[in-house]
Amino acid sequence: MAETPAAPTEYERRRQENILRNKAILAELRRDAADVSDLFAAARRKKHPRATPPAPAGPPRRSGRARLQPPPPSSAAALPSARLKPRAAHFPIPDVFVAKAVTDASAPLTSAILAASWPPEGGARADDAGFEPGEELVLRPGNVRKLAKTVIGVARVLPLSDRTVVAAGTSQGHLVFWDADGPVSERLCQALDTRGGAEGVFMYHPHTGSVGGITAHPCAPRKIYSCTHDGDVCLMDVEKEIFNTIYLCDYPAFSLCQAPGNATCLYFGEGNGLLKAFDERVGQVSSKWLLHRDCISSIDFNPENPNMIATSSLDNTACLWDLRNMKVPKSESLKVVNHEHSVRSAYFSPSGGFLATTSRRNTVGILSVHNFNNSCFQQQSCPSTTFRASWGWNDSELLLGSERDIQITSIDLKDDSISTSFKARIQSEHMNEAPCLFAAHPYRLGHLACVGRTKVFLWTLEQDAEEDMPHFTD
């Protein structure tokens, strides 16, 4: 007899109900998914035609490059690449001559420099015995020149024994030369306030940055070197009539100087406080020293001791160094002169016995080179921010700029102490700019170039001025 199946338990019954309910839910979800898939498939199969843009009215546009047309000259000059494109390393002097300057050709300047003479190495300086600049110097109207429209940052008198040629550098990269010994007729036009065709001013534009230094060696005055804040060091060779970029610095070059006994050795200070010695014969840097924490603003050699060098910097210091004991890369200085503000210049006196330093807030310091403990400071009021004190023709007179005149300060060394006192004031109604730079002729006594913001004033001896002026007779 067959056995009857046992009745399912409550657990088994609920399990079967859950299985049937889940199957119904899954079947409903599958139907919904199938419907959604059909809708998407139908949307993909349906194509929408793309709207065709209307045809342009007139001929199709073509660029100037497609039409093989060159760009206009005005737009090409306005491109930044045209201004940033580096110049060639070599270019003739006439190529950078500014035709809109006072003269129309640069040949008179090169001819004048080539015709001038200079003393041999170690030539004697001008004899200043009994010379009183406060009484004997005069400024004629014909010895005033406006060399540039921008600020003149540096100026030098070329070391020519029988000619006065002033070289100046501007903040826009111009090199401007003024031949003060041009024909009398040209100087007469300037004295009578007439604008003739030539006034002895020659302007060149070999640089793109502000000129930081100019130098010419007494043994080779026909080779004029200049450096700029862009870092390039350039040589103007008057004999070959060519500009030559001889070196490119890693940082801006703010100062430039030549060794007294070597015309081919250049020293220039970069913006990071590095001093480099460049040998032009081999075309490379022979030595470099880290001397300051900021840019070097001036470099000067002692006239009596060529191994002693003075540097000034924007780190508020001026230092004396001995080239024989300088170590690479950092050296120990002989003496540090501290100022409260950045030091603009540090220049030795003509005999090398004193050092004059000038700071940004017109503070002048005098240091004895033979005794570093002897020093003094004085305050000078000058409206120019590029004010630099300079020596005249001896160690007892320091030239300082004032509002519209030149102040001569007397330097006295007594009982191992330095004292300064006011000596004289040089004034003229023709000097209408505040003097900030001075450049004394190394071989012509009484020829002093005084540089303002844009003008140069050439002071000469009173008897020289009378001889140069023409005399008219009825």
Side-chain angles (χ1 to χ4, degrees):
M1 183 175 181
E3 297 180 358
T4 58
T9 62
E10 181 67 19
Y11 170 79
E12 186 66 23
R13 184 182 61 79
R14 289 184 178 181
R15 190 177 71 84
Q16 293 296 332
E17 291 179 355
N18 290 339
I19 291 174
L20 295 177
R21 186 173 64 253
N22 292 339
K23 288 181 179 180
I25 293 173
L26 290 177
E28 185 68 22
L29 292 177
R30 290 190 184 97
R31 287 194 297 269
D32 295 341
D35 296 340
V36 172
S37 299
D38 294 340
L39 292 176
F40 276 102
R44 286 196 300 267
R45 288 193 298 268
K46 187 177 180 181
K47 295 182 179 180
H48 299 279
R50 180 177 297 178
T52 304
R61 298 179 59 184
R62 300 179 63 190
S63 64
R65 181 182 300 177
R67 296 194 301 268
L68 302 179
Q69 291 183 355
S74 59
S75 62
L79 293 176
S81 59
R83 298 191 303 268
L84 300 178
K85 183 179 180 180
R87 294 178 181 266
H90 309 273
F91 41 89
I93 289 178
D95 288 358
V96 292
F97 179 74
V98 179
K100 293 182 180 180
V102 179
T103 53
D104 298 331
S106 60
L109 173 65
T110 57
S111 301
I113 296 177
L114 293 176
S117 60
W118 64 89
E121 185 175 356
R125 297 176 61 90
D127 185 13
D128 61 337
F131 172 62
E132 295 293 339
E135 301 176 0
E136 302 182 36
L137 291 184
V138 295
L139 178 62
R140 298 188 296 110
N143 281 343
V144 178
R145 289 293 189 279
K146 184 173 182 179
L147 299 189
K149 296 181 180 180
T150 57
V151 179
I152 299 176
V154 62
R156 292 289 185 272
V157 177
L158 299 186
L160 305 173
S161 60
D162 56 352
R163 203 170 190 91
T164 301
V165 179
V166 181
T170 69
S171 59
Q172 292 186 351
H174 293 91
L175 288 180
V176 190
F177 296 87
W178 173 27
D179 181 15
D181 293 327
V184 175
S185 58
E186 298 177 3
R187 295 199 306 244
L188 181 61
C189 292
Q190 176 68 13
L192 299 178
D193 198 17
T194 59
R195 298 296 175 179
E199 295 179 356
V201 178
F202 304 85
M203 181 181 293
Y204 304 88
H205 196 201
H207 302 291
T208 57
S210 178
V211 180
I214 299 176
T215 182
H217 201 275
C219 299
R222 298 174 181 178
K223 292 186 176 182
I224 305 166
Y225 299 87
S226 58
C227 67
T228 68
H229 295 177
D230 285 347
D232 57 328
V233 181
C234 187
L235 165 63
M236 178 182 179
D237 196 328
V238 179
E239 292 182 342
K240 299 180 180 179
E241 296 187 354
I242 192 172
F243 276 99
N244 183 16
T245 302
I246 60 176
Y247 188 77
L248 294 177
C249 304
D250 299 329
Y251 295 88
F254 290 90
S255 54
L256 182 65
C257 187
Q258 289 177 278
N262 190 353
T264 60
C265 186
L266 297 175
Y267 291 82
F268 45 87
E270 294 190 1
N272 60 343
L274 196 68
L275 177 67
K276 290 185 178 180
F278 178 81
D279 193 346
E280 187 184 357
R281 294 170 297 181
V282 297
Q284 62 182 6
V285 174
S286 58
S287 302
K288 54 184 178 180
W289 308 275
L290 184 61
L291 304 184
H292 292 274
R293 301 186 306 271
D294 208 335
C295 66
I296 299 176
S297 55
S298 70
I299 308 170
D300 193 24
F301 278 86
N302 192 305
E304 299 298 330
N305 185 3
N307 295 317
M308 181 179 290
I309 188 173
T311 59
S312 63
S313 173
L314 300 187
D315 62 358
N316 304 349
T317 63
C319 301
L320 291 178
W321 312 88
D322 190 346
L323 292 177
R324 297 168 296 184
N325 300 326
M326 297 181 70
K327 300 179 181 179
V328 178
K330 194 172 183 179
S331 303
E332 184 177 354
S333 61
L334 299 176
K335 175 64 177 178
V336 179
V337 180
N338 294 293
H339 283 260
E340 295 182 357
H341 304 280
S342 58
V343 184
R344 298 295 186 181
S345 63
Y347 297 136
F348 287 104
S349 60
S351 68
F354 296 97
L355 179 72
T357 60
T358 312
S359 70
R360 180 174 176 268
R361 293 298 176 88
N362 301 337
T363 302
V364 181
I366 308 297
L367 173 69
S368 175
V369 176
H370 304 294
N371 187 357
F372 293 155
N373 294 325
N374 295 341
S375 62
C376 67
F377 295 89
Q378 74 172 37
Q379 192 70 25
Q380 175 71 14
S381 61
C382 182
S384 175
T385 57
T386 59
F387 163 75
R388 297 185 180 186
S390 180
W391 297 92
W393 289 269
N394 53 55
D395 288 13
S396 61
E397 296 176 348
L398 188 66
L399 305 177
L400 305 174
S402 186
E403 185 69 26
R404 288 293 186 270
D405 52 28
I406 304 173
Q407 177 180 326
I408 301 178
T409 299
S410 178
I411 310 298
D412 298 324
L413 180 61
K414 295 180 180 180
D415 300 331
D416 294 335
S417 62
I418 301 176
S419 61
T420 61
S421 60
F422 172 79
K423 183 177 182 180
R425 191 180 302 275
I426 307 176
Q427 296 176 331
S428 175
E429 59 181 0
H430 307 298
M431 191 162 64
N432 51 12
E433 287 186 355
C436 55
L437 303 174
F438 301 96
H441 199 295
Y443 304 111
R444 302 182 74 177
L445 183 65
H447 284 239
L448 175 65
C450 177
V451 182
R453 181 179 176 84
T454 60
K455 296 181 180 180
V456 174
F457 310 90
L458 180 62
W459 295 79
T460 57
L461 296 176
E462 187 174 1
Q463 57 267 26
D464 295 343
E466 294 177 356
E467 294 176 0
D468 292 341
M469 290 302 293
H471 300 279
F472 297 94
T473 58
D474 295 335

